[in-house]
Each structure stands twice: as C-alpha cells, then as structure tokens.
Amino acid sequence: MLYVAPFLCLYAALLVYPLFAGFWLSLHKADLFGGRRFVGFENFTRLSNDQVFLGAVGNTFYFIVLTVPALAIIGLGLALALNRQTRTAAVLRGVFFSSSVLSVTIVTLLWKVVFAPEGGFLANLLEAFGRPPIAFLSSAELALPAIAITTIWWCIGLPMMLFLAALQQVPRELYEAAALDNAGRWKTLWHVTLPSIRRTFALVLIIEVVLQFQLFGQAYLMTQGGPNNASRPMVLFLFEVGFTRWDVGYAVAAGQILFGFIAIAAFAQYLVARRKEAF
C-alpha cells in the first residue's frame, strides 16, 4: 500500500475528485466568478430542450460515423501494405505517420487552403476539369465531411502504427500453414490475419471513438461551428457556453452527458471484443 499510495493519491486528486466535483457542479447554476445556486437537474432538463445542444450531439455522432470506420479501415490497409522490411516501406511509414505530430493549428491552416473556394487546391482542380468551385466550409452539407477528411488525414498515423505492431506479432507459422493449404491472399487475410489482430482492431475503435467524441480544434478553427450550427460538436458547445456565456453549470452538465456517451461507447466495444475473444 505504501508503494502504490503516491499513485493512488494523484489518481484520486486528478481524476476521481474532479469526476464527482463536476457532477456536483452540474447540479448548480454557476458562473466563472464563483456564484453558485443549487438547481438540481434543471440544467439537464434545459439541455434536453436545447435545439443547439441536440444538434451538436447529432453532429458529433455523425462525425464519428464519418471518421472512425475510415480511420480503422484505412489504417489497417496502410499497415498491410507497409508491413515489409524494406527501405521504401520504412520511409512511407514515416511519411504517413508524420501528419500525426503536427498541431491542430497547422493542420487546419493547410486544409483551409485545400478547401478554399477561391484559389484553393480543390477549386483549381475543379476548374481544370471545367467545374465550378465548391465552398466546402460554407456549405451546411459539406462542412462536417470536410472536417472529417481533415481529421482522417491528421490522425491516420496512430491506427496505422498500432496495426503494424499487431501484424508483426502474428506468428509466421500461421502464414506457413495457410500457404501449405494453398490459401490465397484473401483467405489468409480473413482467416489468419484479421482473427489474429481482432483485439488490436477493437482497441483502435475504442481509442478513435474516445478521441473523435472530443472534436474541437478542427471545427473551431475551420468553421467555428457554422454554417448555421451544421458543424458544431459537443465540445465546442461546452466551450461557448462555459467561456462565452459564462454559464458554467450548464456547460458542465453537457460535459457529463458527453462523458456518459464516451463511457457507454467504450464499454460496449469492450464487451463486443471480449465476446469475440471468448468465441
């Protein structure tokens, strides 16, 4: 107990206490200047009728649908393609992972140039084919998909490296046995590779769901939640309510709902992964 006491104290101070303190604060009408009045579940009732918040919830789930499957599938594809002991594969692994070390500011500036309707890369490409430019970031239908594309480009390095690590742990004897049975590439992939890395696949899904639930910087810097709240995620809603309107209790209540969504999604994927493992 003495050995683990420092860790337990820090864990309780930095994680456990803020968790319960945040829930208690969500039951108050509070501001940044220390004013506080107990209102019970009034903040949660207001959230259930707040169309902007409900829209932010829908945007967040839509963004997860756009990004998480793509990150998992593209990351796995890159890992399969680059799982070779060659200099070219090593260089390409570094190239694909390099985007992950960039800050969100640099990433959004690069992609705002790509999506710019005047002089942007895509605008010039469309004009070269005789098509009019498209204002991606000013379109209610295309703003969030544009942010999703930016995020996939930015975050693809982590799932790729996790899959590469898993692929390198698959016993070579399994591939040799598949070759002796005259199994082709697709059969080997479906019956040897994917079953061997299913736990890593579940881990990637859990990590990416948790990360993409926290979408903030890309939406804030590229569209500021517009147009007409079409790209406003939950974290941006929290930021605006807490630090623009100074309604801290209301923002923390929304944060508790976000925490609940993340916990449910992560636990559900964990149960599915355990069930597959048991099977």
Side-chain angles (χ1 to χ4, degrees):
M1 290 302 297
L2 289 176
Y3 181 78
V4 299
F7 169 78
L8 291 177
C9 292
L10 286 174
Y11 183 83
L14 299 178
L15 291 175
V16 178
Y17 171 74
L19 180 64
F20 288 98
F23 178 74
W24 179 247
L25 182 59
S26 69
L27 304 179
H28 292 75
K29 176 72 174 178
D31 56 40
L32 290 175
F33 299 101
R36 182 179 298 189
R37 177 172 57 87
F38 183 80
V39 295
F41 290 93
E42 179 183 324
N43 288 324
F44 294 95
T45 303
R46 289 172 56 198
L47 285 171
S48 66
N49 298 313
D50 190 333
Q51 296 303 315
V52 176
F53 174 72
L54 296 177
V57 173
N59 291 337
T60 302
F61 278 93
Y62 179 42
F63 180 78
I64 290 172
V65 171
L66 291 174
T67 55
V68 173
L71 284 166
I73 294 172
I74 297 173
L76 177 59
L78 289 173
L80 291 170
L82 301 178
N83 187 28
R84 292 175 173 82
Q85 301 300 323
T86 64
R87 182 175 300 178
T88 301
V91 171
L92 289 176
R93 287 197 294 265
V95 169
F96 283 109
F97 186 76
S98 62
S99 63
S100 301
V101 302
L102 299 176
S103 70
V104 65
T105 306
I106 295 174
V107 171
T108 52
L109 285 175
L110 288 173
W111 281 90
K112 285 182 74 172
V113 173
V114 172
F115 290 122
E118 297 182 4
F121 174 78
L122 290 179
N124 292 334
L125 187 63
L126 290 171
E127 289 179 357
F129 286 94
R131 307 290 296 178
I134 301 174
F136 289 91
L137 300 180
S138 300
S139 169
E141 293 78 18
L142 299 176
L144 204 56
I147 296 174
I149 292 172
T150 302
T151 303
I152 292 168
W153 179 87
W154 182 30
C155 300
I156 196 60
L158 176 61
M160 180 192 71
M161 296 304 292
L162 290 174
F163 282 128
L164 274 170
L167 290 172
Q168 292 172 3
Q169 299 300 316
V170 179
R172 303 304 305 175
E173 293 81 2
L174 297 178
Y175 292 113
E176 293 173 359
L180 290 174
D181 291 336
N182 294 321
R185 289 187 177 182
W186 285 108
K187 283 189 176 181
T188 303
L189 175 65
W190 283 106
H191 296 288
V192 176
T193 303
L194 293 182
S196 300
I197 64 170
R198 58 183 178 271
R199 298 185 66 180
T200 301
F201 200 92
L203 174 65
V204 168
L205 290 177
I206 292 172
I207 291 174
E208 292 303 330
V209 166
V210 172
L211 289 176
Q212 305 317 322
F213 256 119
Q214 302 173 55
L215 168 67
F216 172 71
Q218 305 94 293
Y220 180 70
L221 294 172
M222 296 180 74
T223 63
Q224 294 187 345
N228 195 26
N229 299 321
S231 61
R232 175 170 280 103
M234 293 180 69
V235 178
L236 182 55
F237 176 86
L238 306 183
F239 172 79
E240 291 174 342
V241 170
F243 294 98
T244 303
R245 292 162 46 183
W246 296 351
D247 196 346
V248 178
Y250 193 51
V252 173
Q256 298 301 308
I257 295 176
L258 174 61
F259 171 76
F261 285 147
I262 294 175
I264 292 171
F267 188 66
Q269 291 181 0
Y270 171 74
L271 290 179
V272 171
R274 283 196 61 185
R275 183 176 302 175
K276 291 181 177 179
E277 184 70 18
F279 177 78

